[in-house]
Amino acid sequence: MTVIEVEKLTKAFKGKPIVKGLDFQLEKGRCVALLGPNGAGKTTTLRMLSGLLKPTSGIITFSGSQKGEDIRKYIGYLPQYPVFHPWMTGKEFLVYVGQLAHLTKQEAAEKADQLLKKVAIYGSRNQRIGKYSGGMKQRLGIAQAMIHSPQLLMLDEPVSSLDPIGRREVLTLMEELKTQTTVLFSTHILGDAEEICDDLLLMHQGEILESGSIDALRQRHQSAKFEIALRGDSATYLETLHALSSVQDVFQEKGEVHVVVEDIELARKEILTKVLEEDWPLEKLALSKTTLEDLFMKVVKK
Amino acid sequence: MQWITIFKKELVEDWRNFKWVWVPLVFIIICIMDPLSTYYLPQILDAVGGVPEGTVIEGPELGPTEAIMFSLTEISMLGVLVIVAISMAVIAGERKSGVAELVLVKPVSYFTYISAKWAAKLLLVFTAYLIGMLTSWYYVSLLFGDLSASQFIGLFLFYFIWLIFVVTLTFLYNTVVKIPGLVLTLSIITIMAMSAINQIFSFRMPWFPNSISEHITTMLAEGAIPNELWGAAGITLGLSVILLVASNFILKTKEMAD
């Protein structure tokens, strides 16, 4: 079942397109990462889905809602840099936004306590938010997004601004949240996406270039590759390697030459023949598989 | 219910940042400053060294109605400035800081958001103005003679309509721009421009909002509410309603993030 469907979603600021015709849908109960480098249009996309920005064109359909209904009540949203009223305590803020989301004061208070425990800031619930650390604010931000048990939880770069410990804690928390609701979160770190997500939307320069489940993507883009290390400047060999019939792509990384190939047997023969014929100062020749990281880098560098 | 939630939150916020303390105090000072200094002018002059022998200061013999109008004159300047200053960030500040991004992704209608804040701010202004004017009434009765309760209530309520307009105007600019300082500037410029228009064209526009205080003077002198006062009060209230509705529409066209 789809939770939200997006058709031809575009957004332009002062005539400059930031998001260019997105089409995707989110399945219920999945955890989806919106992955892309900085400036890809991730935040703009999330803000449109949450109703904070109006799309220049395109349609967003929330499957659980009636026509003309306010879809904000089904959505929980955490901005990249959440700002609170510093004079309120953590609990007061949760009760406040809970009531704004149509909970009664008592329901909001109960839910607030529950969430404060879950995000592990229950001990500081009666402290003013102005005194919270960055990690605590991020966790309070997640709690406020969950206060009305939304059907879709959207988190904008939830771990990017945190230190390693805070990052780990929030990731663990998200691991738990994804069992309760559909989660869409943006990140520029592939590792985070691979770690907790089922699906991936790979975004670059306002477009979605790849989408699907992480496993499917991995398989689809998994090809064999040789890692070759040569003494001296490897750059001089790039062209020769590229010219080989079995070679799809050649790129350099950390001083090594990565050669993406179609047919492993043929490629091995061709490469080794070259090495012998031209007497290359070979130091390493290894067979490995392309990773999502390779895909990400390839897409981003294009 | 959401309305009450936001209304209460605003009251608590203004309580915690001491607005409920200092705004009434400032209003007391604004209201009693002129009546008191006028009454004690001879003593003040003496205390600061006196005036040369033979100087005669002649002024009109002041009655209680003139004296209490001094308070309104001060409110029309300093009081209005204070009102605009405490309202300039009420929406603009939340939009600028980003809190609005958290609040307005919750299913809250913009009109609820605006009108609850508006009512809360108006309650603060009403209270401060009431306390200030009651203090002024007390001193005026003591020093200048009796001012009847009906006269006081009349001038108090009619002038409050002008203050409602000032608050609403500030709210309108809160939705137009999101820099509090700019809200203050635009509001003050508008009020000054309206005052200038009023002075130039007052004979043609007896119902212009800024003319309320002139009509109040007439009311106090004649002991009856002139038609122009009803008219001006009605126009001012009507304008306030229009501005409030307009604020809602303007905020809807704004994007809560950039």
Side-chain angles (χ1 to χ4, degrees):
Chain A
M1 207 183 97
T2 52
V3 173
I4 200 165
E5 195 173 344
V6 172
E7 286 168 83
K8 298 203 173 52
L9 187 67
T10 56
K11 180 72 190 178
F13 287 112
K14 291 175 183 145
K16 195 171 158 240
I18 303 295
V19 172
K20 307 165 186 164
L22 303 189
D23 288 292
F24 64 87
Q25 51 192 40
L26 302 181
E27 298 295 323
K28 196 178 163 83
R30 306 285 285 185
C31 175
V32 186
L34 186 60
L35 177 71
N38 292 332
K42 305 185 296 283
T43 297
T44 307
T45 306
L46 291 183
R47 281 175 169 170
M48 280 193 281
L49 294 183
S50 63
L52 286 170
L53 290 180
K54 290 181 192 68
T56 307
S57 67
I59 308 166
I60 299 168
T61 329
F62 201 84
S63 62
S65 70
Q66 312 292 313
K67 208 175 175 208
E69 200 183 6
D70 191 347
I71 66 165
R72 290 180 299 177
K73 66 175 150 198
Y74 301 114
I75 288 174
Y77 173 67
L78 170 69
Q80 186 169 2
Y81 306 106
V83 183
F84 307 91
H85 292 296
W87 55 271
M88 278 189 177
T89 69
K91 177 156 183 196
E92 278 173 341
F93 190 82
L94 289 185
V95 173
Y96 173 53
V97 293
Q99 285 180 283
L100 293 184
H102 297 297
L103 300 181
T104 66
K105 192 168 185 176
Q106 204 180 351
E107 285 168 350
E110 279 166 22
K111 192 76 202 264
D113 279 340
Q114 203 182 320
L115 284 166
L116 284 164
K117 280 178 194 152
K118 184 177 279 177
V119 300
I121 49 172
Y122 188 72
S124 315
R125 68 188 180 284
N126 293 327
Q127 225 177 62
R128 295 203 172 180
I129 301 173
K131 296 200 170 138
Y132 279 22
S133 70
M136 289 163 80
K137 280 185 188 159
Q138 202 70 11
R139 279 182 264 176
L140 181 64
I142 292 178
Q144 67 79 30
M146 291 291 292
I147 190 85
H148 54 306
S149 317
Q151 295 185 22
L152 173 62
L153 177 64
M154 292 193 283
L155 311 170
D156 193 3
E157 301 270 3
V159 294
S160 304
S161 62
L162 299 178
D163 62 24
I165 300 166
R167 221 176 74 92
R168 176 57 34 216
E169 283 169 353
V170 169
L171 285 174
T172 315
L173 184 63
M174 286 170 65
E175 199 77 60
E176 197 188 329
L177 293 177
K178 74 178 197 185
T179 61
Q180 296 163 18
T181 182
T182 310
V183 179
L184 172 65
F185 82 99
S186 72
T187 178
H188 58 264
I189 300 159
L190 176 73
D192 294 344
E194 274 185 299
E195 188 176 333
I196 53 174
C197 277
D198 312 308
D199 298 333
L200 203 64
L201 293 167
L202 183 53
M203 196 169 177
H204 185 49
Q205 293 182 343
E207 286 171 277
I208 288 190
L209 300 179
E210 283 289 345
S211 65
S213 79
I214 292 209
D215 291 335
L217 276 180
R218 211 177 261 142
Q219 256 166 22
R220 198 183 325 152
H221 290 280
Q222 199 165 53
S223 43
K225 119 184 139 168
F226 282 100
E227 289 169 21
I228 305 175
L230 295 150
R231 197 163 359 103
D233 186 12
S234 337
T236 45
Y237 306 98
L238 289 179
E239 243 172 76
T240 327
L241 285 166
H242 215 297
L244 297 176
S245 65
S246 60
V247 173
Q248 278 183 324
D249 194 20
V250 180
F251 58 95
Q252 241 180 321
E253 209 178 279
K254 292 178 201 142
E256 291 187 350
V257 182
H258 291 225
V259 185
V260 182
V261 301
E262 225 169 314
D263 184 336
I264 299 176
E265 291 310 317
L266 179 63
R268 177 160 37 212
K269 208 173 279 172
E270 283 186 336
I271 293 171
L272 285 174
T273 312
K274 276 280 171 221
V275 169
L276 290 175
E277 270 176 6
E278 300 183 6
D279 193 20
W280 291 1
L282 187 69
E283 288 188 330
K284 172 187 165 190
L285 176 68
L287 179 63
S288 74
K289 299 228 163 113
T290 57
T291 58
L292 281 179
E293 185 79 40
D294 294 326
L295 168 68
F296 184 46
M297 293 314 287
K298 194 171 97 187
V299 161
V300 169
K301 278 179 184 159
K302 226 182 242 172
Chain B
M1 273 309 101
Q2 288 177 320
W3 197 91
I4 302 281
T5 304
I6 297 177
F7 180 73
K8 274 193 196 154
K9 173 250 155 193
E10 286 296 312
L11 294 187
V12 174
E13 177 165 15
D14 283 347
W15 173 249
R16 294 217 185 140
N17 60 29
F18 305 110
K19 284 204 180 77
W20 277 94
V21 177
W22 71 259
V23 180
L25 282 178
V26 167
F27 264 81
I28 290 176
I29 295 168
I30 290 173
C31 287
I32 63 172
M33 196 166 60
D34 254 21
L36 281 189
S37 63
T38 310
Y39 184 81
Y40 289 111
L41 190 61
Q43 284 93 321
I44 294 169
L45 286 178
D46 263 349
V48 297
V51 287
E53 202 78 20
T55 310
V56 181
I57 303 172
E58 269 192 74
E61 197 55 37
L62 283 176
T65 52
E66 285 92 1
I68 200 140
M69 283 310 287
F70 282 163
S71 299
L72 285 195
T73 312
E74 286 301 322
I75 288 178
S76 73
M77 294 185 289
L78 290 176
V80 163
L81 191 63
V82 170
I83 291 172
V84 173
I86 61 171
S87 318
M88 67 183 182
V90 68
I91 295 169
E94 290 195 2
R95 287 169 62 204
K96 191 161 182 266
S97 76
V99 187
E101 220 181 324
L102 287 185
V103 173
L104 293 175
V105 290
K106 297 286 181 272
V108 190
S109 90
Y110 285 12
F111 193 68
T112 305
Y113 177 75
I114 296 171
S115 62
K117 280 171 170 285
W118 177 79
K121 211 49 98 190
L122 220 48
L123 183 63
L124 171 61
V125 169
F126 180 84
T127 311
Y129 170 60
L130 177 67
I131 293 173
M133 285 305 283
L134 282 177
T135 317
S136 168
W137 187 24
Y138 170 76
Y139 279 108
V140 166
S141 304
L142 211 63
L143 303 175
F144 296 91
D146 276 340
L147 183 73
S148 76
S150 62
Q151 277 180 312
F152 176 79
I153 293 169
L155 84 94
F156 176 80
L157 289 182
F158 275 114
Y159 199 74
F160 184 62
I161 292 172
W162 167 247
L163 299 186
I164 293 177
F165 176 81
V166 171
V167 172
T168 318
L169 182 73
T170 316
F171 267 69
L172 178 82
Y173 284 126
N174 260 286
T175 62
V176 176
V177 294
K178 59 178 181 180
I179 302 163
L182 198 53
V183 174
L184 178 105
T185 314
L186 289 171
S187 306
I188 296 296
I189 287 176
T190 308
I191 292 166
M192 277 166 40
M194 284 176 68
S195 160
I197 292 171
N198 182 52
Q199 275 171 13
I200 300 167
F201 300 106
S202 62
F203 58 96
R204 284 214 183 134
M205 302 187 299
W207 291 2
F208 200 67
N210 294 58
S211 65
I212 285 182
S213 61
E214 293 153 38
H215 300 322
I216 290 176
T217 315
T218 319
M219 175 187 78
L220 293 179
E222 292 174 358
I225 299 170
N227 279 336
E228 288 84 1
L229 185 50
W230 285 117
I235 294 275
T236 310
L237 269 182
L239 265 179
S240 302
V241 172
I242 292 170
L243 291 188
L244 197 60
V245 173
S247 310
N248 179 40
F249 282 109
I250 293 171
L251 194 61
K252 272 187 186 161
T253 65
K254 299 284 173 183
E255 303 196 303
M256 280 310 121
D258 8 71

